[in-house]
Amino acid sequence: MSSLSFAQLPKPFMVLAPMDDVTDTVFRRIVDDCAAPDVYFTEFVNVDGLQSPGRDRLLKKLQFTAGEQPLIAQIWGKHPENFRKTAAELVDMGFAGIDLNMGCPEKSVVNNGCCSALINNRELALEILQATREGAAGRVPVSIKTRLGFNAIDFTWHELLLQQNLNMLTIHGRTRKEMSAVPAHWDAIGEIRKLRDRIAPDTILVGNGDVESRAEAEALAAQHGLDGIMIGRGIFHDPFVFATETPWPNYTKEQRIALYKKHVQLFAETWAKNERRIVTLNKFCKIYINGFDGAKELREHLMAADSAGDLIAQLDAA
Ligand SMILES: Cc1cc2nc3c(=O)[nH]c(=O)nc-3n(C[C@H](O)[C@H](O)[C@H](O)COP(=O)(O)O)c2cc1C
């Protein structure tokens, strides 16, 4: 894989959001076969864990194949030195870019001073950016994904980030306090676009939050003058969410079951040593086993399966 070239991306470009325990190599390959986005992200991976004896446990999050391209590795953590070491390794592994998570709102990470907590610890945020850039040594772009603020919308945070001459900045249109509880504030993302035009016209700006279709993504990009749109949970409602015309509403029960079977088979091949537990498939079950008579009952049976073989047998019999 080569370094991500923003000049070669369409405008607006479409991004599959990083989602922990969701956007692994298996699901990215399914999405790639359905309707590919222009850019992929890994799940977020902790650099302090990667630089510890527990490293092997995390490497599964960095597995990828030739199809899921271009692929940006997203990292998080606390210690700049571990960002530096990890960034150098990620370039050698072949990632097209490195993204820093400065948006995750989870209590456990925030209480540890990580991710969205960096909005309130700007000195450390800049040290982490600097260390990552040193590790990447200009070989791939370094970007940041963040929110509108911590407790309230705070454009001083975005001003500071834009002053750092970032390659790309992704804004999830909510504050940390809002978690996912309110609709995304796209107007505020539009305000950050104006800041970008003034402070850092070369920084690529991506908007994120509640987008459910490609048409909606294109409309929001046009309305707010954004370079790209990132879609996360929209993929749960339509695996073809990046398609210009999605076939999903007309997918039959048989086609939906066949797509889940393909996912389960790929899961079993990829995680043959049980690197991921079978229960992680349950959230995917809801994507595919949906929208036909008897789907709810079938899901209940499928979610009780204790092996990929059992799941496939049940899908074959359904
Ligand atoms: C299950 C799940 C896991 C997520 N994991 C990550 C993550 O690892 N890194 C990250 O930056 N954001 C993560 N997010 C946030 C999404 O990337 C995205 O910003 C958020 O869901 C809003 O976009 P959406 O409305 O299109 O889903 C996660 C969201 C969900 C639902």
Side-chain angles (χ1 to χ4, degrees):
M1 200 190 317
S2 57
S3 169
L4 177 58
S5 159
F6 293 107
Q8 283 171 11
L9 294 177
K11 292 231 162 172
F13 62 90
M14 300 289 142
V15 187
L16 178 61
M19 288 189 281
D20 194 34
D21 265 346
V22 176
T23 53
D24 69 348
T25 177
V26 170
F27 191 51
R28 290 192 305 256
R29 272 184 277 168
I30 295 288
V31 175
D32 196 61
D33 281 354
C34 290
D38 301 299
V39 178
Y40 291 93
F41 273 62
T42 65
E43 309 159 72
F44 73 162
V45 191
N46 184 277
V47 294
D48 304 317
L50 274 175
Q51 301 303 332
S52 78
R55 174 186 178 87
D56 286 353
R57 203 172 38 83
L58 291 173
L59 287 176
K60 64 175 182 283
K61 292 177 186 279
L62 293 172
Q63 218 164 296
F64 64 87
T65 60
E68 317 140 35
Q69 314 289 338
L71 177 60
I72 295 178
Q74 195 195 55
I75 51 178
W76 68 287
K78 184 140 190 191
H79 300 290
E81 188 49 30
N82 290 333
F83 279 87
R84 190 189 333 268
K85 285 185 192 150
T86 303
E89 290 175 350
L90 292 171
V91 178
D92 291 340
M93 286 178 198
F95 286 96
I98 299 172
D99 187 76
L100 303 173
N101 183 318
M102 299 197 185
C104 178
E106 296 298 329
K107 228 183 209 152
S108 54
V109 304
V110 170
N111 288 348
N112 199 21
C114 299
C115 297
S116 65
L118 293 169
I119 300 172
N120 290 335
N121 187 352
R122 299 183 183 185
E123 200 177 322
L124 181 58
L126 295 188
E127 275 176 42
I128 285 173
L129 174 62
Q130 172 67 16
T132 307
R133 283 176 160 167
E134 285 168 12
R139 292 189 290 161
V140 297
V142 175
S143 56
I144 291 179
K145 178 169 179 279
T146 189
R147 288 185 171 240
L148 292 177
F150 196 81
N151 285 323
I153 296 177
D154 179 1
F155 294 133
T156 65
W157 167 238
H158 311 98
E159 268 169 11
L160 178 72
L161 294 180
L162 287 165
Q163 283 158 4
Q164 309 312 311
N165 200 18
L166 294 173
N167 295 106
M168 178 170 78
L169 177 62
T170 302
I171 307 289
H172 173 188
R174 294 185 185 88
T175 63
R176 185 270 168 176
K177 190 176 174 187
E178 289 170 334
M179 307 292 279
S180 295
V182 301
H185 308 291
W186 279 89
D187 287 346
I189 299 178
E191 290 303 313
I192 296 170
R193 205 282 335 285
K194 290 181 200 159
L195 285 178
R196 186 283 307 267
D197 291 353
R198 184 162 58 74
I199 300 171
D202 292 336
T203 297
I204 298 288
L205 196 65
V206 176
N208 165 239
D210 302 337
V211 180
E212 291 281 334
S213 71
R214 187 183 189 107
E216 197 186 330
E218 286 173 356
L220 283 164
Q223 187 182 345
H224 299 292
L226 302 168
D227 301 295
I229 299 289
M230 174 182 276
I231 300 182
R233 291 163 301 166
I235 201 86
F236 295 142
H237 306 132
D238 182 355
F240 295 82
V241 74
F242 294 107
T244 314
E245 275 186 54
T246 171
W248 189 242
N250 297 322
Y251 248 47
T252 62
K253 171 183 171 183
E254 288 69 30
Q255 286 173 307
R256 287 169 190 237
I257 287 175
L259 193 53
Y260 189 30
K261 185 173 163 187
K262 181 167 138 185
H263 188 137
V264 176
Q265 278 169 331
L266 208 49
F267 177 97
E269 281 163 27
T270 308
W271 310 125
K273 293 186 198 130
N274 295 322
E275 294 94 332
R276 293 215 184 235
R277 293 176 310 139
I278 192 79
V279 291
T280 53
L281 281 172
N282 285 353
K283 58 170 88 69
F284 297 103
C285 185
K286 288 185 204 145
I287 303 182
Y288 311 105
I289 308 302
N290 217 318
F292 55 85
D293 286 345
K296 184 167 177 278
E297 294 72 19
L298 179 55
R299 274 205 309 272
E300 277 163 17
H301 287 295
L302 295 171
M303 286 189 184
D306 57 10
S307 70
D310 181 13
L311 254 176
I312 288 170
Q314 286 199 48
L315 288 168
D316 282 339

